[in-house]
Structures are given as structure tokens and as C-alpha cells.
Amino acid sequence: MGRNMINQKITAADCHPLQNKQYAFACISLLIILILIYYNSFQAGWQYDDNVNIVDNPNIHLKTLTWSGIRRSFSGINPGPALDNRPLSYLTFALNHAIGKLHVVGYHLVNFTIHYCTAMVLFLFILRTLQLPVHRGRYDGNAYSIALLSTFFWAAHPIQVTAVTYIVQRMTSMAALFYIMAMYCYLRGRSITLPTPKAFWFFLCGLSGLLSLASKENAAMLPVSLILYDLLLLRDKGRINAATVLKNLIAPFFAVAIIGFFFCDVHRILAAYHSRPFTLTQRLLTEPRVMLFYISLLLYPLNSRLSLLHDIDISITLWEPWTTLPAILICLGLAVASFFHHRKNPLIAYCILFFLLNHLIEGSLIPLELIYEHRNYLPSMLFFLPLVLFFMRWLEYVESNRAMTRLSCFGLAFLLFSQAHTVYMRNRLFQDETALWQDIAEKAPGLSTSHLNLGKCYWNSGFFQEAMEEYRTAALLNRFMHQDQYGMLYYNSGLYHAYCRKDYLAALRLFVKALETHSGHPQIWYEIIRSLAMRREYKQAATYADKALHHWPEHAGLLSVASVVFFQKGDMERALISAGKAVAENPHSIMALETMAEIFRKKGDLERSLSDWKRVVNLCPQDVRTILALIEVSSLLGNRALQDRWVHDLDNLTCARKPASPNKCIEIALQAADLSSYTPDTVVLAAAIRDSRSRIGIPSRKREYRPPGNIPLLGRY
């Protein structure tokens, strides 16, 4: 009988003459509002974990849509062929890269579309939930308004910014989209008595659930959410008791646990606590306080309280800090109260349990970071529904008082506008990496991670001393979120010694320490190889190059620096292969192009050497060393016109009033140059420069050289 009532109720709702217009209004109004508050997010750049998961991840850099490339994208950031836990998310990143490379607009458009679709499915799910017979017509007149308002509050809430604007958290929004889609399909399937459409909706439910799990692991709670929804909202309330609830929930919980045991390496997961600054017990004690902090952010989302990273004290015992035990009791109290009041308010009970339940995966045993705002994207889907129900009841209570009604509606509109404005302001921060990390460092000054990443931003902007100050602060605080971040501190400090102080021995020691704690980053291997090569320790550099290329055989930077090392060792064949692969991966690999040019020069193919050096000079027209190489090759070819041209360009680069002597030009190039396969032949060059100067009428006089001041410090590859 209950099923027939559900079917009759939903069928009647579908036949309502205003239904299509209402759906159209919901669709269009939600789209317009989300575009208005998120349009400034489309130019937000790559941030934090975007780099390791997308920008520097060769597995998702598809060149052609082949099955082997698609299968490789499933590996995520793993160097080997093993499947990652989020293959569908990484596949979408790979398709984005295949279409638009690393242009951020395409990635943001996909993220925005996912967020909009999620909001629409959530609206439909809430609307049909409010029309269920269990409510006995309580929301018939207001179901549409309640569903739409609840969806607006969720979709336009500032806490969702890190799941929408932060590109890599597409994993979170995709999982939520398929999760709520599975719940909507289950509801439709339970509302139909005919076997064929019922089977169709249940098939869509199962498919959506699998897609959700393939997007992110927290979708594992879907079976429990569905069983709980069925018990509280789809069955006759009179038949529900504690034994029924436990009996129906034990099976899905055990199913999730068994699947997790067989498909997850539990020992590896627990062993990961060695790289965290907290233990399993401390994490379990801390998470209830995190949960209450999430609730406070949802209720009071000021811009000053929102951040990509949060600094929260770890709970050592039940009494340290003193808020630990009260937080645990409050969370348990919410769950128990929801269970004991489910007959009176089944919808509110389910909303509370849904929030708590869907925080379990990321808020319990797994050694993840303690707190991230994007983790609320899925759990908060029904968070605002009880609040909107309370508001509607308040409007009914003050219905006779027009002034109070208008004031209440104005207050609600002001809250929505405030949320939208905060979303807009948060999106602006994501447009500038330095501004974002300055904001994070102000809000979480006690975290080493904040200062580490702010120092990285300063370094990339050329403020090297400021960067080192931030690195020193990070080291003194000694509060990193993961052991790998110690490796990044060593790495960043090593960059300062390598590129600013030219102290390659000190840099090498720091890079090796970085490798001990963070061996999975190819850039660390690159800097070790480069530092060894700058110290002319080519044999050891080649050993590191072989190991690095074994893990990242298509990494352009590693291939470039390896080509120089093999060239200097005299292994021309491997040098040419590595340089060719580097240029194929990245046509702007200057170091690889230089190596190819020098290999062909040594082989006697001067025309090919000249062609490759011209490609280099097009990429860096003000590099003195490149101009010298072109003069030398032109001289060997006997092409005086080209030789004169490059000498003229050399004098334009190095002259203020009078040209430097040939030997001084070579000395300048050797001092300013980065790692390169090219070693100037001083005899050939000096003769060529004097010859061209005499021919084009420039006197060759010695002078004190003043460098232009814009020689790049960072390595070129």
C-alpha cells in the first residue's frame, strides 16, 4: 500500500500544470546565479595539489585518444600501470588535457558544469523527497519553494568554492554528482510498481554508484545512505524499531568493510600514519572537533574564517584540549537524538545522519589531512533543508504580521547575497597564487605548510630573499601536514643555494635529503642530476638519470638534463635519443635543442647544427652563449653573412658604448650560462669576432663589461 501511495503522489505531481514552468524557472535561475558568482573563477590558475595531479602528471597528458593512453590515465599519479582509486576523475583530466592542454578555462568550465548538474539533481531529489507519503501532505504547498531554496543555499555557499574553483577537487564534485544521482534513481525506482521501469531506475542507481566510487572513495557510504533513506522515509513509520534499523544497517556496513578489506591495503593505509604528525588515536579524537568546526563554517561562512588550509590543534587525550570530550559527546548526541526522534521528524533525522555518515570515510581511520573544506561538498547536501523548513514554519507563524514577514524575507535574501559575495571574493583569491597563500598564511600562521608554499610563490616571482625567510619560518615552526613537505622544504632551500649562491655542493646535500623524504617528485631528481653535472660529476649524474628515467621515461625535464650528462660522458647515441624525446615532449626544451645542435656539430652536420641553434635563439634571443654558438657554427660553415649578423647581435647585447673584447664576451657567457652541452672554442670564436668586426666597421677594444641584469637564474629545459 505504501508503494502505491508513493506512486500516486509522484504521478499526481508530474501532472501538475505548473510543473514544467517551475522546473524551467529552477533550471534557469540556478544557472544565472551560479554564473554570476562563479564567472570570475574561470581564470583561476593552478593551485597546490593541481600541480602534482594535473600539471606535472604525465599519465594524464594525452597526445592522442588511444586505449593505451586512456588506460594510462587511470593510473592517476602512480608511475606504474596500477589503477588508482579515482580512475574516472583522472580520465576527465586527461580528456581536458587532450582538448585544451593546460589552459585552465576548459577545466573550470567542466568543474562549473558538474557543480550546476549536481545542484539540479539535488533539487529534484529534495522535491520528490518532500512529496513522499511519510510526510502526510505536510509540505504539499511549499515543497517546490523548500527544495529550490535549500538547493540555492547549498550551491551558492562559500564552503563549496574549494570543490569547484580548486580544479583538482573535481574528484569531490564528480563523486557527489553521481552519489546524489544514484539516490534520486533509487527513489524513482522505489516509487514505481511496474517491473520494467523499476529495473531501469535501479540499473541507473547501480551505475551511478559505481561512477561515484570511481570518482572518489568516500562514495563507499552510498549503500548505507540508501538503506537509511529507505528505512526512515520510504517505509511505514509504524514498522520501524531499533531492531529493524540495526538489522538493515549491519549488512551494508559489513559489506563496505569487507570490500574495503579485500580491495584496500589496510596495512599500507595504517602504515601511512608514520608520515603524519598525529597517530590514529589522535586523529579519531580530533575529528569530532573538526566536525563541529565544519558546522560553524556552514552556519557562519565569513570570508575571514574560510581558507584552503586550517590550523587545528591535535587532540592528545580526551581532556587535551578540553573541547575534545564535549565535541565527541555532541556528535554522539546528534546521532542518538536523530535515531530516537525519527518517527516524529524522519526528514530532519535523516538530514542529520546523512551529514554525519558521509563524513565517516574522510573523518575516521584513513590517515588523511585532518581538515579540508571541500570534504563538506557531499555531506552538506541536505544540511540546509532543516534550516529552510524552520524558516518556512517561522513564516507561517508570523504570517499575520506583514512587517515581520517582509523583514524575515529580507534577512533571507541578505544571507543569500552575502554568501554569493563571499564566493566571488574567494574566487578572486584563486586567481593569484601569491595572494592565495598570503591569505592562508595570515589565517593559519602556525602551519609550516603555509609558509613553505608562500615562499615558493615568492621564489617564482623572483623575490629570493623573501622566499628564504618563509622557508626559515617553516623550518622553525616544524608543523608540516605530511612528511613529504619536509622534502619540499629541503628542495626549495636547495634551489636557493643552486641558483642564487651557485653553491652546488650545499644544494646537492639538500636535494639528496629532499629525495629521502619525497622520492616521488621528478623535479627533485632533475635538480640532483643538474647539480652533479654542474660539479662535472657526470658518472654519478648518469646513474641518477638512469634511475629517474626508469620511473618517468617521458618527462621532458629529465630527458633534457640526461641528454647533457650523456653528451658530456661521450655517449652521443643516448644523448641524441634523450634529446629527441625531450623535444618531442616539449618543443621548447632549450637544453635538449642545444644538445642536439652540438651532437650534429661534432658529427660534421653543420647545417643541421645551425638549424637547431636557430631554434634555440628564437626561444631565448638575448642569451649570449647561444649567439656565440651561432657565430662559431657560421664561421665553420664559411657563411660570412650569417657570421656578421650574429656578431652584430652580440655587440648589441654586450655593448654600452664600446664592444667588449672577444675573450671578454666568452668569459661573460661562461659566467652567466646554465648547464649546457656547448663549450665555446675560444680560438675559433675570437678569430671570427675580429674578422666580422673589421668587416662591418666595429673597432675591437677592451672594455669593462656591464651585464644587462636580466639573465635568468632558473634552469632551462
Side-chain angles (χ1 to χ4, degrees):
M1 180 178 178
R3 293 179 182 177
N4 291 334
M5 289 177 66
I6 295 172
N7 192 35
Q8 291 169 9
K9 175 66 78 176
I10 295 179
T11 303
D14 288 339
C15 297
H16 196 286
L18 295 179
Q19 199 75 15
N20 291 335
K21 291 183 180 180
Q22 289 177 330
Y23 284 146
F25 175 79
C27 233
I28 295 171
S29 61
L30 189 61
L31 178 61
I32 291 173
I33 288 178
L34 289 181
I35 288 176
L36 287 175
I37 64 176
Y38 274 103
Y39 84 90
N40 68 329
S41 72
F42 294 164
Q43 296 298 331
W46 303 107
Q47 305 291 349
Y48 204 33
D49 287 342
D50 287 339
N51 295 301
V52 65
N53 286 282
I54 303 172
V55 179
D56 299 326
N57 183 5
N59 289 340
I60 61 102
H61 294 175
L62 291 183
K63 297 181 181 62
T64 56
L65 288 177
T66 60
W67 171 243
S68 61
I70 292 172
R71 180 177 173 78
R72 187 180 68 174
S73 72
F74 293 162
S75 301
I77 58 175
N78 294 323
L83 292 181
D84 193 86
N85 290 327
R86 305 170 185 180
L88 184 60
S89 298
Y90 283 110
L91 175 61
T92 64
F93 293 138
L95 295 176
N96 257 132
H97 187 275
I99 296 170
K101 302 304 178 186
L102 293 175
H103 298 292
V104 294
V105 176
Y107 294 84
H108 285 298
L109 282 173
V110 173
N111 279 26
F112 176 83
T113 303
I114 291 171
H115 183 53
Y116 171 69
C117 292
T118 306
M120 284 307 305
V121 178
L122 176 63
F123 163 73
L124 295 174
F125 175 74
I126 294 175
L127 181 60
R128 286 190 173 270
T129 298
L130 293 171
Q131 295 169 343
L132 291 173
V134 70
H135 307 304
R136 307 196 186 283
R138 184 187 305 176
Y139 309 116
D140 280 356
N142 297 319
Y144 175 82
S145 301
I146 294 170
L148 188 58
L149 199 55
S150 300
T151 304
F152 273 133
F153 267 109
W154 176 83
H157 198 281
I159 206 170
Q160 317 302 5
V161 166
T162 50
V164 182
T165 306
Y166 185 18
I167 296 174
V168 75
Q169 288 311 325
R170 178 186 302 177
M171 301 171 178
T172 297
S173 57
M174 276 184 63
L177 170 61
F178 292 117
Y179 193 105
I180 197 64
M181 195 178 291
M183 296 195 68
Y184 176 73
C185 292
Y186 181 80
L187 172 56
R188 292 298 300 269
R190 287 283 278 112
S191 305
I192 295 175
T193 55
L194 298 175
T196 302
K198 178 186 283 288
F200 171 74
W201 284 109
F202 282 149
F203 169 76
L204 288 182
C205 173
L207 178 62
S208 299
L210 290 175
L211 293 175
S212 181
L213 192 60
S215 301
K216 195 173 181 182
E217 303 88 332
N218 59 344
M221 282 293 130
L222 177 61
V224 185
S225 293
L226 290 175
I227 295 295
L228 205 59
Y229 185 84
D230 195 286
L231 286 170
L232 296 181
L233 297 170
L234 294 179
R235 297 192 182 189
D236 186 357
K237 291 189 296 181
R239 289 159 44 191
I240 302 176
N241 52 47
T244 304
V245 172
L246 290 175
K247 183 177 67 175
N248 284 274
L249 286 180
I250 285 174
F253 265 120
F254 268 103
V256 171
I258 292 171
I259 292 172
F261 180 78
F262 281 103
F263 288 92
C264 299
D265 189 341
V266 179
H267 181 268
R268 182 177 63 85
I269 290 174
L270 295 180
Y273 274 101
H274 295 301
S275 62
R276 293 291 183 189
F278 47 80
T279 64
L280 171 59
T281 303
Q282 291 171 347
R283 190 177 202 280
L284 292 175
L285 290 173
T286 307
E287 282 303 319
R289 292 172 45 235
V290 173
M291 194 83 66
L292 295 186
F293 179 70
Y294 286 155
I295 294 173
S296 76
L297 287 180
L298 289 164
L299 295 174
Y300 191 46
L302 290 183
N303 191 25
S304 59
R305 304 185 69 230
L306 296 163
S307 178
L308 184 64
L309 301 182
H310 290 275
D311 185 7
I312 187 166
D313 293 331
I314 297 171
S315 293
I316 308 300
T317 65
L318 287 172
W319 301 274
E320 185 184 353
W322 70 268
T323 52
T324 302
L325 183 58
I328 295 173
L329 294 177
I330 291 172
C331 291
L332 288 175
L334 285 172
V336 172
S338 300
F339 174 76
F340 282 106
H341 289 84
H342 73 271
R343 293 182 181 177
K344 184 178 180 181
N345 292 299
L347 182 57
I348 294 176
Y350 183 74
C351 291
I352 295 172
L353 292 174
F354 184 87
F355 179 81
L356 298 174
L357 177 70
N358 285 288
H359 269 299
L360 275 182
I361 295 291
E362 295 177 304
S364 56
L365 300 175
I366 303 176
L368 304 171
E369 284 81 0
L370 291 172
I371 180 171
Y372 272 131
E373 290 174 10
H374 67 260
R375 293 177 184 169
N376 290 275
Y377 191 83
L378 171 58
S380 66
M381 281 184 161
L382 302 179
F383 183 89
F384 301 99
L385 181 53
L387 301 179
V388 173
L389 292 175
F390 173 79
F391 178 76
M392 288 297 184
R393 185 164 294 185
W394 168 256
L395 286 184
E396 292 175 1
Y397 179 76
V398 298
E399 186 177 6
S400 58
N401 189 331
R402 285 190 176 183
M404 185 61 70
T405 301
R406 290 176 180 174
L407 183 62
S408 300
C409 292
F410 175 79
L412 186 72
F414 178 76
L415 283 176
L416 280 171
F417 176 80
S418 299
Q419 282 193 181
H421 180 263
T422 304
V423 170
Y424 184 85
M425 297 302 293
R426 296 287 300 154
N427 285 332
R428 286 182 61 183
L429 278 177
F430 278 83
Q431 293 178 0
D432 184 349
E433 187 178 19
T434 302
L436 176 65
W437 284 104
Q438 284 174 339
D439 178 75
I440 295 170
E442 288 176 6
K443 295 172 180 176
L447 283 181
S448 296
T449 308
S450 307
H451 299 281
L452 175 63
N453 285 278
L454 180 56
K456 174 189 170 186
C457 295
Y458 286 148
W459 174 271
N460 292 336
S461 300
F463 299 107
F464 305 121
Q465 293 298 333
E466 290 82 352
M468 280 305 298
E469 287 300 319
E470 294 297 329
Y471 297 154
R472 292 189 189 100
T473 302
L476 288 172
L477 289 171
N478 197 26
R479 287 191 61 205
F480 290 97
M481 299 168 64
H482 195 278
Q483 191 70 25
D484 285 351
Q485 292 174 349
Y486 285 97
M488 297 314 297
L489 176 64
Y490 297 137
Y491 169 76
N492 292 343
S493 301
L495 290 179
Y496 177 78
H497 288 280
Y499 291 98
C500 294
R501 301 185 64 181
K502 307 293 185 182
D503 186 348
Y504 298 109
L505 180 59
L508 185 61
R509 289 168 179 166
L510 288 165
F511 291 141
V512 170
K513 289 181 70 175
L515 193 65
E516 292 172 356
T517 56
H518 195 25
S519 60
H521 202 297
Q523 197 63 26
I524 300 177
W525 290 84
Y526 171 89
E527 295 298 343
I528 289 177
I529 299 166
R530 177 185 176 276
S531 296
L532 287 168
M534 294 298 287
R535 288 175 52 79
R536 303 184 185 278
E537 298 178 23
Y538 298 117
K539 183 176 180 181
Q540 193 174 357
T543 302
Y544 274 98
D546 288 332
K547 292 179 181 179
L549 290 174
H550 175 73
H551 293 295
W552 298 281
E554 297 180 359
H555 190 279
L558 290 173
L559 288 165
S560 297
V561 73
S563 70
V564 178
V565 170
F566 295 144
F567 178 87
Q568 297 292 359
K569 275 191 66 185
D571 191 344
M572 298 299 168
E573 194 64 32
R574 291 194 66 189
L576 185 60
I577 292 172
S578 298
K581 287 182 179 180
V583 173
E585 290 293 324
N586 179 13
H588 296 165
S589 298
I590 296 173
M591 195 182 292
L593 287 170
E594 290 179 352
T595 302
M596 291 174 65
E598 283 302 285
I599 290 173
F600 288 117
R601 185 170 73 88
K602 285 188 176 295
K603 287 184 175 183
D605 191 348
L606 297 177
E607 290 289 348
R608 177 63 189 274
S609 177
L610 181 65
S611 174
D612 286 334
W613 276 117
K614 285 181 178 179
R615 292 174 67 183
V616 176
V617 81
N618 287 334
L619 295 171
C620 49
Q622 294 187 335
D623 186 70
V624 176
R625 192 182 189 116
T626 304
I627 302 296
L628 290 176
L630 283 164
I631 295 171
E632 187 174 340
V633 175
S634 300
S635 173
L636 293 173
L637 276 169
N639 191 330
R640 292 189 173 183
L642 272 179
Q643 176 183 316
D644 293 347
R645 173 196 167 183
W646 299 122
V647 170
H648 183 269
D649 288 352
L650 174 69
D651 289 332
N652 286 338
L653 280 176
T654 58
C655 286
R657 294 180 182 176
K658 298 177 182 178
S661 68
N663 289 336
K664 189 64 178 180
C665 290
I666 297 169
E667 181 185 342
I668 293 165
L670 291 173
Q671 288 175 351
D674 195 357
L675 181 64
S676 174
S677 301
Y678 173 62
T679 303
D681 187 327
T682 56
V683 175
V684 173
L685 272 174
I689 293 171
R690 291 191 187 96
D691 177 53
S692 291
R693 283 177 175 172
S694 64
R695 190 162 42 252
I696 59 180
I698 300 176
S700 180
R701 299 179 185 174
K702 294 185 178 181
R703 61 179 286 275
E704 195 65 31
Y705 174 69
R706 292 187 300 170
N710 59 352
I711 299 171
L713 289 172
L714 293 179
R716 302 172 297 159
Y717 55 87

